[in-house]
Amino acid sequence: MNARRALLAFFILFLFAPYAALVWKVNLVSQLDWPELWWALKNSIWQASWSALGSLLTGFFLCLGFFRLQRAGVYRSWMERPLAMLLLLPSFLPPLFILLVMLSLVNPFPIGLVGVIVIHVVMNAGLVALLLKSMIESKMKPLLEMAWLEGSTQSQFIRAASGMVARDLFGILLFVFVLCFCSFSIPLIAGGGRATTLEILIYEKIRISGAWGEGLTLSLIQMSLVMALSLIPFSARRNLFGRSGKVPLLGSEAGVFGLFLYCVGFITFFILESFAGWQQVLQIPGLWEQALETVPFSLFFGISVGLLTAGLLLLSAVLMPFPALHRLISGTVSPSTALLGFSLLLVFPQEEPWSWIQWIVGFTFLIFSTLYRWGWDQQVSGIIDQVQVAETLGASRVLIFREILWPQLLPPATLMASVASLWALGDFALGKILVGRDISLSLLIETLMSSYRLQAALALMGLLLFLGLICFLFFRGMAYVGRRALE
């Protein structure tokens, strides 16, 4: 029990360390410029609201296309999972990928709040489409079949039945709103100085003005707002894909075309442009050599983040059943990326390899609670009964971990580690704060993107995704070796 309490204390320290470091180093009480705060807060609420609404409407359009495609003669049941994976790709891949594709595809790109909203909609529409599809199949399918038999039209059904799922729709809107409200990397690039959100204001206060107290106060205001939103009750589904089967009545021919463009268009455009960009990479003096120099560190960084993330997830499972820890991690809101970066600068020395360590620890901190909520809590809750039975029979924690937790949780832990490594490979926002030069491939790509060498940046983005595949194979190999060792 003492060891479990020590682990709980470790997670409490880990989750609140950035705030503790800043409170220790910085005067917390700081007078704010209220008109400036209101301007940034208004921009944050405006862009997050329109991003959430745009994602919901676009996701519903894609969802109708999915339902129509399911009733087509060429559709087969095995196509559902690949389509779902393609819809999830914009949310799954690093934001740097979507930024590059959209800046290259839309010329001239609407820099400012409009541009930020457009990119957020593109990133989240596929995920929203799958959530809506799951909700409709699981909650409204019997009513859909009855309305179809009675001769109802699609628009009549949508108007009449939307009230039944109003709470679910609000939950999806709130989920996307929080994601966009706390976004840092997208406004940093696509905002162009005209979209000063709370995240950007915190970044400017600390990096440009050196006003640490104001930055910390702004971050606490932001965290309080997000936590207050998380307390709003709503019905949210935990299962993403829901029940399979053809849904009558709902469907859109135009939605099928939109679904095709969303799933295939972006990838096709990226492949064509990245191939064309290699000529530019080879023409810029020293660029290819510099890119090759960043590959070892990028792989080291990605794999290190993945290993640390997997280790933390497995450590959290050792404490189960421990409802206090589950509530702590699930309810924790990550601080501002800018605030986290500058708090790490206060704690760690500013030379290598300490700058590498602070980047690894900081990025792991940013994504740990996200991955925990995105499926790890469900994986652990599925085996809590086995752990409780083993404890009742007198099994030690070491035996429970070796015989129950490790065999069942190693595959999902390595899968989430591969996701963490891919996101780490594409990080540039935290790296710009912590590292002063282009030591990783993502920072080099961001430099090219900022100088409008988009084709070269797209070409190197292909190399970055290849490194992500190497990390994925590395963690799959870990899972295989772990299973063989158990056998």
Side-chain angles (χ1 to χ4, degrees):
M1 184 59 68
N2 290 335
R4 294 179 70 190
R5 292 190 180 277
L7 274 179
L8 181 61
F10 164 77
F11 276 105
I12 293 173
L13 177 64
F14 176 75
L15 293 172
F16 292 98
Y19 294 104
L22 285 170
V23 170
W24 177 43
K25 293 279 188 177
V26 179
N27 181 16
L28 178 62
V29 180
S30 182
Q31 186 175 0
L32 294 174
D33 185 341
W34 292 104
E36 187 179 48
L37 170 61
W38 169 244
W39 173 252
L41 180 60
K42 182 181 67 175
N43 285 341
S44 296
I45 295 174
W46 179 264
Q47 72 88 5
S49 300
W50 281 105
S51 297
L53 182 61
S55 299
L56 184 67
L57 295 176
T58 308
F60 183 66
F61 178 68
L62 297 176
C63 181
L64 291 180
F66 207 138
F67 286 143
R68 180 63 186 90
L69 183 62
Q70 284 182 326
R71 300 198 299 272
V74 296
Y75 184 81
R76 299 293 182 271
S77 59
W78 59 267
M79 297 180 182
E80 181 155 347
R81 187 163 292 274
L83 273 174
M85 293 177 64
L86 288 172
L87 280 170
L88 283 173
L89 266 183
S91 300
F92 175 77
L93 292 173
L96 187 59
F97 175 85
I98 301 299
L99 277 167
L100 274 173
V101 172
M102 292 301 297
L103 289 174
S104 303
L105 185 61
V106 182
N107 190 18
F109 188 82
I111 296 295
L113 278 178
V114 174
V116 174
I117 292 168
V118 168
I119 293 179
H120 278 156
V121 169
V122 171
M123 288 182 62
N124 296 305
L127 174 61
V128 171
L130 290 179
L131 292 172
L132 290 172
K133 177 177 177 292
S134 172
M135 178 193 70
I136 292 171
E137 287 180 339
S138 59
K139 287 195 169 185
M140 304 176 70
K141 194 170 181 181
L143 185 61
L144 268 167
E145 294 170 347
M146 185 180 301
W148 178 62
L149 291 174
E150 294 292 336
S152 173
T153 65
Q154 177 174 276
S155 58
Q156 288 174 337
F157 176 81
I158 292 173
R159 286 196 302 268
S162 57
M164 295 177 53
V165 290
R167 290 171 66 87
D168 296 82
L169 294 176
F170 177 73
I172 295 173
L173 270 173
L174 187 61
F175 170 71
V176 180
F177 177 90
V178 171
L179 287 179
C180 300
F181 185 79
C182 298
S183 175
F184 175 65
S185 57
I186 303 300
L188 183 65
I189 300 298
R194 288 176 282 175
T196 303
T197 60
L198 272 178
E199 281 279 346
I200 300 299
L201 183 60
I202 294 168
Y203 176 77
E204 292 175 348
K205 284 293 181 183
I206 299 177
R207 186 175 186 112
I208 299 175
S209 305
W212 291 81
E214 288 188 53
L216 178 57
T217 307
L218 288 169
S219 181
L220 291 174
I221 292 173
Q222 182 194 48
M223 185 184 70
S224 301
L225 290 172
V226 174
M227 292 187 70
L229 290 174
S230 66
L231 296 176
I232 299 176
F234 62 87
S235 300
R237 296 202 55 79
R238 299 177 68 86
N239 186 8
L240 183 61
F241 296 105
R243 193 172 66 187
S244 62
K246 297 179 180 180
V247 174
L249 190 61
L250 294 182
S252 169
E253 299 286 349
V256 176
F257 180 70
L259 185 69
F260 175 79
L261 285 181
Y262 191 86
C263 293
V264 180
F266 288 110
I267 299 297
T268 303
F269 177 82
F270 167 73
I271 292 173
L272 294 177
E273 288 294 309
S274 61
F275 274 122
W278 281 108
Q279 183 178 0
Q280 192 179 108
V281 170
L282 298 175
Q283 286 177 348
I284 299 174
L287 178 58
W288 176 237
E289 290 76 11
Q290 186 180 2
L292 288 179
E293 290 175 0
T294 64
V295 168
F297 175 79
S298 298
L299 279 175
F300 165 76
F301 177 63
I303 291 175
S304 298
V305 170
L307 289 173
L308 185 55
T309 303
L312 288 172
L313 291 173
L314 289 171
L315 272 180
S316 69
V318 172
L319 280 168
M320 294 299 173
F322 212 131
L325 178 66
H326 173 75
R327 290 193 298 270
L328 176 66
I329 300 176
S330 299
T332 300
V333 180
S334 296
S336 160
T337 303
L339 187 77
L340 173 65
F342 289 114
S343 67
L344 290 169
L345 291 176
L346 289 174
V347 174
F348 289 92
Q350 300 310 301
E351 65 266 358
E352 297 177 354
W354 289 105
S355 58
W356 304 348
I357 296 173
Q358 65 187 4
W359 195 5
I360 293 169
V361 173
F363 194 79
T364 304
F365 180 89
L366 282 178
I367 64 172
F368 169 68
S369 58
T370 301
L371 289 175
Y372 186 91
R373 291 190 297 266
W374 275 26
W376 183 255
D377 55 343
Q378 297 178 44
Q379 294 287 340
V380 173
S381 62
I383 58 175
I384 283 181
D385 292 341
Q386 300 177 41
V387 173
Q388 290 175 331
V389 170
E391 284 184 328
T392 303
L393 296 175
S396 66
R397 300 302 300 182
V398 175
L399 183 62
I400 290 172
F401 180 78
R402 188 177 69 241
E403 300 296 335
I404 298 176
L405 298 179
W406 179 261
Q408 298 183 60
L409 294 180
L410 181 62
T414 52
L415 177 62
M416 291 195 172
S418 63
V419 174
S421 64
L422 177 61
W423 289 351
L425 285 171
D427 174 65
F428 65 92
L430 186 61
K432 284 190 68 171
I433 299 172
L434 299 176
V435 183
R437 58 191 180 90
D438 296 338
I439 64 172
S440 75
L441 195 55
S442 60
L443 291 176
L444 178 59
I445 292 171
E446 192 274 334
T447 300
L448 291 171
M449 184 171 58
S450 300
S451 59
Y452 293 98
R453 294 174 173 176
L454 297 179
Q455 279 196 325
L458 282 167
L460 294 183
M461 189 69 203
L463 177 60
L464 187 144
L465 295 179
F466 177 72
L467 297 183
L469 176 62
I470 293 176
C471 292
F472 172 77
L473 295 175
F474 172 82
F475 287 108
R476 291 290 293 176
M478 280 188 59
Y480 174 78
V481 172
R483 288 196 303 268
R484 294 291 295 177
L486 288 171
E487 293 173 1

